Amino acid sequence: MRVTRFRFPGAPRPRALLLAAVLLPACRGDAGELSPGGYAGVELTQPRPKPDFTLTTTDGRPFDFRRETDGYLTFLFFGYTNCPDVCPVHMANLAAALDRLPRETARDVRVVFVTTDPARDTPARIREWLDAFDPGFIGLTGTPEELSDAQVAAGLLPAMADTAAGAAYEVGHAAQVLAYTPDNLLRVQYPFGTRQSDWAHDIPLLRTRSAAREFSAGDLRVLEAVAPAPPGRGPMALYLIVVNEGAADTLVAIESDAADSAALHRQMVHGGSARMMPAGVVAIPAGGTLRLEPGGLHAMLNGPRRSFAPGDSLRVVLRFRRAGALPVVARVVSYTELETAR
């Protein structure tokens, strides 16, 4: 196991070594050697769930980390803008790697930077600093207690400021970037020293790890969940496929925290005019397939709670009589992309 030891200037050596031990819980061979899963980064032997915490964006709104990054390949990093090397190197290399990737790959990626120095890192300062790398990077802050809790939730030791150095103090913090695949699992970590070529190699792999967007509960599998982006905040249709590989079941409800209400509808054509009729519950026979598709049975999300654009994602929960609740993340696409997206 290769452990990179990094010591922040002014930080006591025992704490730096302890941080290094926490940073790399999985093993990887020499430079250039890939993990068992084919990654250049440090692959975890047991993936961990994405943490659930809420902080504040640089424009002052609450940011529920788990909910707002659902369905995206997400890189999470805790650092500070006065950091002399680790933080700017990570951000610069990530930005450069994303810039080299195809647009359809990069748009499925979220980079979230959380300050560990709220006393000096004002929202304006964080935004200015991140914009120098990529204006799309998300910056978060909070109270010292909120930031400490978020680091613990992510499985890291809380950062520590060496305030004895005066106003120019440095902050000892975890030096790795955490990579969560679209299924909300931490699978790979990237220590300081990760090269642009490593990022460029791993990002497409991490994105496609869950690119099929398959979700399952018991004998049920949900495939190809997509929602066309409506103009403004109009109702959104939801299309997907449910494959039943077990006994008969019934879809009894659809819920989503992205909309005021959700319901099943069926498109009916009578006398040359089309109408949407409530569908109620829908049976899925043993070994059968249920399709929610344009022009037929589909779900409607009424009163979206924010504007959605192609490339976004939204979370819905399908409730089945036998299998229970099945959370699904649907991709938001344009109507012109609808046919190729499914």
Side-chain angles (χ1 to χ4, degrees):
M1 175 172 168
R2 185 184 67 178
V3 176
T4 301
R5 291 179 172 82
F6 179 81
R7 181 170 184 257
F8 294 94
R13 184 172 297 273
R15 176 164 59 85
L17 294 178
L18 180 57
L19 277 171
V22 172
L23 303 189
L24 301 175
C27 294
R28 179 185 164 199
D30 295 334
E33 183 179 326
L34 300 180
S35 74
Y39 301 111
V42 181
E43 185 175 6
L44 275 67
T45 54
Q46 181 62 50
R48 299 203 305 264
K50 180 183 287 182
D52 194 358
F53 59 81
T54 299
L55 294 171
T56 304
T57 64
T58 52
D59 59 3
R61 69 176 182 86
F63 188 92
D64 183 322
F65 175 70
R66 182 179 176 88
R67 181 176 63 82
E68 300 215 34
T69 59
D70 261 347
Y72 293 101
L73 168 58
T74 303
F75 295 108
L76 174 63
F77 180 66
F78 292 86
Y80 67 116
T81 66
N82 284 299
C83 180
D85 44 22
V86 176
C87 305
V89 169
H90 268 320
M91 295 296 101
N93 285 341
L94 251 176
L98 287 169
D99 191 54
R100 290 162 49 189
L101 293 172
R103 182 179 178 183
E104 61 270 20
T105 298
R107 75 181 184 185
D108 285 342
V109 180
R110 294 292 180 267
V111 177
V112 179
F113 171 86
V114 182
T115 182
T116 57
D117 185 18
R120 293 183 297 183
D121 282 349
T122 64
R125 167 61 181 163
I126 296 171
R127 186 70 269 153
E128 178 186 30
W129 188 79
L130 289 176
D131 285 349
F133 305 108
D134 189 321
F137 286 3
I138 298 166
L140 301 179
T141 187
T143 67
E145 293 76 16
E146 290 172 338
L147 296 170
S148 178
D149 289 346
Q151 290 167 81
V152 171
L156 305 174
L157 291 177
M160 296 178 64
D162 184 18
T163 53
Y169 64 86
E170 296 190 14
V171 180
H173 61 93
Q176 86 273 40
V177 177
L178 309 178
Y180 298 90
T181 44
D183 54 2
N184 291 330
L185 291 176
L186 172 62
R187 296 185 182 276
V188 185
Q189 301 188 88
Y190 294 88
F192 181 54
T194 298
R195 300 164 298 180
Q196 291 181 23
S197 58
D198 294 332
W199 291 115
H201 174 273
D202 281 11
I203 288 173
L205 294 177
L206 292 164
R207 174 179 172 268
T208 33
R209 178 70 186 239
S210 298
R213 306 292 175 124
E214 180 174 321
F215 307 87
S216 62
D219 297 320
L220 299 179
R221 292 187 297 127
V222 173
L223 314 174
E224 302 176 11
V226 295
R233 292 198 179 185
M236 298 180 70
L238 172 68
Y239 307 121
L240 52 82
I241 300 171
V242 182
V243 178
N244 185 3
E245 298 175 337
D249 208 336
T250 304
L251 176 60
V252 297
I254 294 183
E255 304 168 357
S256 177
D257 59 6
D260 293 336
S261 65
L264 285 170
H265 287 85
R266 194 180 299 275
Q267 183 95 349
M268 307 291 290
V269 178
H270 181 71
S273 62
R275 295 181 60 191
M276 281 198 307
M277 304 294 292
V281 301
V282 180
I284 312 173
T289 298
L290 171 66
R291 292 179 178 271
L292 304 189
E293 56 191 353
L297 181 69
H298 60 278
M300 288 298 296
L301 306 179
N302 299 306
R305 292 174 177 168
R306 65 179 180 90
S307 297
F308 287 91
D312 291 342
S313 67
L314 60 87
R315 181 181 175 86
V316 297
V317 177
L318 309 182
R319 295 198 178 276
F320 298 90
R321 186 160 290 157
R322 181 175 59 84
L326 200 171
V328 173
V329 176
R331 292 183 297 136
V332 179
V333 299
S334 68
Y335 276 96
T336 56
E337 294 175 305
L338 183 58
E339 287 304 312
T340 58
R342 303 189 71 247

